[in-house]
């Protein structure tokens, strides 16, 4: 096991192997087998590029050799920050094959997040596009490299722009050269960590989630089965594919697991997504609730034929029952709710579930080996039907974050259950209904914001004495963020504070939607800042300017 990671206790590992969850396969082998089985069938569609399984497998071999030639070694971390483009797959499977570990950054991450990820994971390389959505990632990489001297390579999909950056295209060696650089026999073991996924987190800095080949491939197999994927399935990826939901539930990797076809979209807007659904005969797509609302609103005014779409998955944040009720009627497909987390546990409503389940619940665990407990504040199990915090452990749920011993003591129980921070209840038939959250996080339409991280950045401003960031309800996003600030020495405006955060290199989704000023914060009985009261204040003053100072 990679240093800094916590393995499952041996008795659990043995149980998961005996039960057939962990089947002893790596991602490199998986792709090899799919290439043998599905050869010329299309694996990935990106714009007018159609890449077959055989081609993908070959590209991965050639790129893996190029990574080795560059000096990237097994177990080294590589920050991958790519949008939905075909080279995402070449890149991650090539890294999987040589046992190097992708760290999945999102395209929206900026200097602050990337410098942290590179430094914390001691990354050997950082892989970016040249430009995307009007943003030049090479400028970002130059700043990152200046702050993280240990970063050996910046690799650019597209035009590298500067001499010190490497072109991804140049790393694909010729077939003849490949054999000099490693072979399958030297690849990673199925029990090894395959990559580090990001957690939305609740603390100052995002946590890294080590996932093994065995555990993740199991989650793909179960997901593909529950979603009835097979070689004729066509999955439309509109969410950023590095995120755990579109990556694995069943997402792009579950689709490749099943031998199906992945269609990459650069945006989730109906203008982009609907024509792709029609022209590529998409059968399944995954969206977050705000995007589902946009699709529901747009569908009646658009002319594309969406009749191949069988399933629309909605997850990442709570989907309102009112909107859920409309999916089948308006889009003509089944709704599947998905409640999951990069730490592991994924729940699905099943495709043959009746409407009262698909509309009102967030599904049930995908594996019979998932253990789920709902507990009160003293970790005592609540009565059936009552709301409690969801704790979970199982064959694809981590036992600890990467290099986070101290945080792990809080985030996991002594018997290895992950504390999700989600409040849920269970229906008599075992489906989960998400009822809220006990963790200090804002879920902005699926984008998770750790309140403490933003508060720390606000506190770095010379005029800020104290800061507290809370969620406020929002019709579209579910929640938006509101920062309450106590100012000392001099005045500062909300806009100035937002600009300050942007200049610190914080991803845009973390910039508070509103800033309110106060002379003091309300406190709880024991003197903690009462986020509950602050949330109420944010609601009461929804339409007013939030200056609550006297
Ligand atoms: P992360 O740990 O960053 O992967 O985010 C996972 C979290 O997203 C969960 O713990 C929930 O708080 C939230 N989440 C994901 N899917 C849903 C859903 N369908 N309904 C409500 N919350 C969700
Ligand atoms: O929000 C998530 O992290 C999420 C949602 C649905 C997830 O990780 C998943 C499914 O696997």
């Amino acid at each position: 096991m990679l240093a800094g990671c916590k393995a499952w206790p041996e008795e659990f590992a043995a149980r998961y192997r005996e039960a057939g969850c962990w089947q002893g396969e790596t991602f490199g082998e998986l792709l090899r087998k799919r290439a043998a089985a599905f050869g010329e069938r299309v694996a990935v569609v990106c714009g007018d590029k159609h890449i077959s399984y055989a081609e993908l497998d070959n590209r991965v071999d050639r790129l893996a050799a190029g990574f080795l030639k560059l000096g990237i070694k097994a177990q080294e971390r590589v920050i991958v920050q790519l949008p939905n483009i075909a080279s995402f797959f070449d890149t991650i499977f090539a890294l999987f094959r040589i046992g190097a570990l992708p760290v999945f950054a999102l395209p929206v991450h900026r200097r602050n997040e990337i410098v942290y990820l590179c430094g914390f994971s001691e990354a050997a390389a950082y892989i970016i596009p040249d430009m995307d959505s009007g943003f030049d990632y090479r400028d970002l990489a130059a700043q990152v490299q200046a702050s993280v001297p240990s970063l050996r390579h910046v690799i650019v999909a597209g035009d590298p722009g500067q001499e010190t950056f490497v072109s991804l295209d140049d790393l694909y060696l010729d077939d003849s050269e490949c054999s000099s650089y490693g072979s399958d026999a030297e690849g990673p073991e199925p029990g090894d960590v395959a990559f580090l996924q990001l957690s939305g987190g609740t603390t100052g800095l995002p946590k890294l989630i080590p996932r093994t080949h065995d555990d993740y491939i199991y989650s793909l197999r179960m997901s593909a089965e529950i979603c009835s994927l097979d070689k004729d399935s066509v999955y439309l990826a509109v969410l950023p594919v590095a995120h755990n939901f579109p990556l694995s539930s069943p997402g792009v990797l579950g689709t490749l697991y099943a031998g199906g076809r992945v269609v990459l979209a650069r945006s989730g807007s109906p203008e982009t997504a609907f024509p792709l659904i029609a022209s590529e005969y998409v059968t399944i797509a995954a969206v977050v609730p705000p995007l589902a609302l946009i699709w529901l609103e747009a569908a009646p005014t658009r002319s594309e034929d969406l009749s191949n779409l069988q399933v629309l998955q909605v997850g990442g944040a709570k989907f309102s029952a009112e909107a859920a009720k409309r999916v089948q009627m308006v889009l003509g497909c089944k709704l599947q709710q998905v409640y999951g987390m990069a730490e592991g546990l994924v729940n699905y409503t099943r495709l043959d579930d009746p409407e009262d389940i698909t509309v009102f619940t967030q599904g049930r665990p995908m594996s019979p080996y998932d253990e789920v407990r709902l507990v009160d504040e003293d970790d005592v199990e609540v009565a059936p039907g009552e709301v409690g915090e969801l704790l979970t452990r199982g064959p694809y749920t981590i036992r600890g974050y990467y290099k986070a011993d101290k945080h792990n003591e809080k985030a996991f129980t002594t018997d290895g259950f992950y504390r999700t921070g989600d409040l849920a209840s269970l229906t008599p038939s075992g489906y989960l209904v998400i009822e809220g959250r006990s963790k200090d996080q804002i879920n902005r339409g699926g984008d998770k914001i750790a309140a403490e991280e933003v508060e720390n950045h606000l506190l770095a401003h010379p005029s800020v004495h104290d800061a507290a960031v809370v969620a406020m309800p929002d019709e579209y996003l579910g929640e938006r963020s509101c920062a309450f600030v106590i100012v000392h020495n001099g005045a500062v405006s909300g806009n100035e504070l937002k600009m300050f955060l942007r200049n610190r290199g914080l991803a845009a989704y973390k910039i508070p939607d509103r800033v309110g000023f106060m002379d003091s914060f309300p406190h709880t009985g024991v003197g903690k800042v009462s986020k509950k009261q602050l949330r109420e204040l944010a609601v009461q003053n929804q339409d007013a300017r939030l200056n609550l100072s006297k």
Side-chain angles (χ1 to χ4, degrees):
M1 198 63 154
L2 177 72
C5 300
K6 203 155 177 252
W8 283 264
E10 193 39 52
E11 61 173 298
F12 284 88
R15 187 185 306 166
Y16 298 149
R17 263 185 229 107
E18 272 159 35
C21 306
W22 300 352
Q23 296 189 344
E25 190 176 41
T26 63
F27 277 103
E29 293 160 353
L30 175 69
L31 179 61
R32 186 80 78 223
K33 283 191 203 156
R34 294 303 179 271
F38 300 108
E40 296 314 312
R41 289 183 70 95
V42 172
V44 177
V45 179
C46 180
D48 49 17
K49 267 192 248 168
H50 287 65
I51 298 162
S52 72
Y53 277 88
E55 220 177 322
L56 177 61
D57 189 45
N58 176 257
R59 290 175 67 84
V60 166
D61 272 341
R62 290 168 49 217
L63 184 56
F67 283 147
L68 288 173
K69 187 176 178 184
L70 195 63
I72 294 175
K73 294 189 247 337
Q75 304 229 328
E76 282 194 314
R77 275 74 58 204
V78 175
I79 313 296
V80 177
Q81 188 182 26
L82 291 174
N84 292 5
I85 54 176
S87 38
F88 175 84
F89 296 97
D90 299 351
T91 300
I92 67 167
F93 276 100
L95 293 171
F96 292 155
R97 232 169 225 172
I98 67 172
L101 312 180
V103 179
F104 287 118
L106 295 171
V108 287
H109 286 142
R110 290 296 175 259
R111 190 182 73 238
N112 195 268
E113 289 86 11
I114 303 295
V115 165
Y116 164 71
L117 290 176
C118 283
F120 186 72
S121 69
E122 301 167 82
Y126 173 34
I127 306 185
I128 52 168
D130 46 10
M131 298 273 300
D132 190 54
S133 305
F135 182 75
D136 194 328
Y137 285 82
R138 295 163 300 191
D139 293 342
L140 171 58
Q143 293 173 24
V144 171
Q145 217 176 21
S147 334
V148 190
S150 61
L151 186 70
R152 301 202 300 273
H153 307 288
V154 171
I155 301 169
V156 184
D159 174 8
Q162 340 191 345
E163 250 173 48
T164 52
F165 293 175
V166 181
S167 153
L168 185 72
D169 282 343
D170 291 347
L171 290 179
Y172 293 80
L173 300 189
D174 290 339
D175 285 329
S176 56
E177 236 190 313
C178 281
S179 51
S180 346
Y181 294 97
S183 71
D184 285 359
E186 297 157 26
E189 297 293 325
D192 287 344
V193 171
F195 58 83
L196 296 165
Q197 184 56 282
L198 258 58
S199 136
T202 51
T203 61
L205 296 162
K207 294 283 171 288
L208 295 180
I209 297 168
R211 301 290 301 260
T212 66
H213 293 264
D214 258 340
D215 94 68
Y216 213 65
I217 291 175
Y218 174 57
S219 86
L220 301 181
R221 188 164 69 248
M222 290 308 292
S223 297
E225 192 182 306
I226 287 166
C227 300
S228 296
L229 295 192
D230 61 23
K231 66 177 181 20
D232 298 318
S233 301
V234 183
Y235 176 91
L236 181 68
V238 295
L239 302 174
V241 287
H243 187 276
N244 201 60
F245 177 25
L247 190 64
S248 68
S249 299
V252 292
L253 294 182
T255 303
L256 297 179
Y257 182 93
R261 179 185 289 217
V262 170
V263 176
L264 295 172
R266 297 301 282 274
S267 133
S269 71
E271 293 73 26
T272 305
F274 287 11
L276 280 173
I277 293 175
S279 64
E280 298 292 336
Y281 306 102
V282 167
T283 60
I284 176 168
V287 296
V288 287
L291 193 52
L293 296 180
I294 292 172
W295 284 22
L296 286 172
E297 208 167 277
T301 68
R302 301 202 57 103
S303 57
E304 290 90 359
D305 176 7
L306 306 182
S307 61
N308 273 287
L309 189 66
Q310 291 159 19
V311 179
L312 182 71
Q313 298 185 296
V314 183
K318 175 99 180 217
F319 193 35
S320 77
E322 278 317 304
K325 278 179 198 159
R326 296 168 48 213
V327 169
Q328 171 91 47
M329 251 261 288
V330 176
L331 294 167
C333 63
K334 280 189 177 145
L335 165 67
Q336 180 177 52
Q337 294 214 41
V338 191
Y339 158 58
M341 55 208 71
E343 287 81 355
L345 181 72
V346 181
N347 304 271
Y348 294 100
T349 58
R350 304 306 199 255
L351 299 183
D352 56 0
D353 277 339
E355 209 192 347
D356 61 329
I357 286 182
T358 59
V359 165
F360 292 102
T361 83
Q362 280 62 57
R364 61 180 163 88
M366 66 172 161
S367 163
Y369 303 96
D370 283 320
E371 298 173 71
V372 162
R373 296 172 57 198
L374 296 178
V375 301
D376 65 16
E377 281 169 0
D378 301 316
D379 275 358
V380 176
E381 225 149 308
V382 299
E386 297 288 301
V387 176
E389 188 196 350
L390 179 75
L391 309 185
T392 185
R393 68 181 182 190
Y396 59 97
T397 296
I398 55 162
R399 293 299 185 115
Y401 293 103
Y402 178 59
K403 292 203 295 193
D405 286 346
K406 215 158 157 226
H407 180 71
N408 285 340
E409 282 173 28
K410 280 184 280 173
F412 295 82
T413 64
T414 48
D415 52 357
F417 280 79
Y418 167 57
R419 297 181 190 276
T420 65
D422 293 319
L423 300 176
S425 63
L426 266 174
T427 67
S429 54
Y431 283 75
L432 287 163
V433 178
I434 301 303
E435 311 266 10
R437 202 174 321 120
S438 65
K439 58 190 170 193
D440 197 4
Q441 189 183 70
I442 296 111
N443 191 333
R444 195 177 184 278
D447 284 330
K448 320 302 186 309
I449 305 166
E452 190 189 322
E453 183 185 3
V454 183
E455 288 159 6
N456 284 337
H457 283 285
L458 286 166
L459 285 167
H461 190 284
S463 299
V464 173
H465 168 70
D466 204 354
V469 177
V470 296
M472 44 184 200
D474 181 79
E475 196 186 342
Y476 263 96
L477 292 170
E479 293 177 359
R480 280 182 198 269
S481 69
C482 177
F484 284 100
V485 173
I486 301 173
V487 174
H488 63 175
N489 62 39
V492 63
S493 71
N495 281 339
E496 279 163 351
L497 283 177
K498 290 187 198 180
M499 186 56 77
F500 173 74
L501 296 183
R502 243 176 248 121
N503 289 338
R504 286 175 70 83
L506 210 60
Y509 69 91
K510 296 181 186 169
I511 309 292
D513 294 292
R514 295 192 80 190
V515 179
F517 294 94
M518 302 181 87
D519 295 325
S520 64
F521 290 146
H523 288 107
T524 64
V526 287
K528 288 203 267 183
V529 172
S530 170
K531 290 219 158 166
K532 184 165 170 272
Q533 287 185 54
L534 287 177
R535 278 190 287 270
E536 286 163 11
L537 277 173
V539 174
Q540 286 158 16
N541 296 281
Q542 194 85 276
D543 304 317
R545 262 193 73 227
L546 264 184
N547 192 344
L548 306 175
S549 309
K550 302 213 172 62

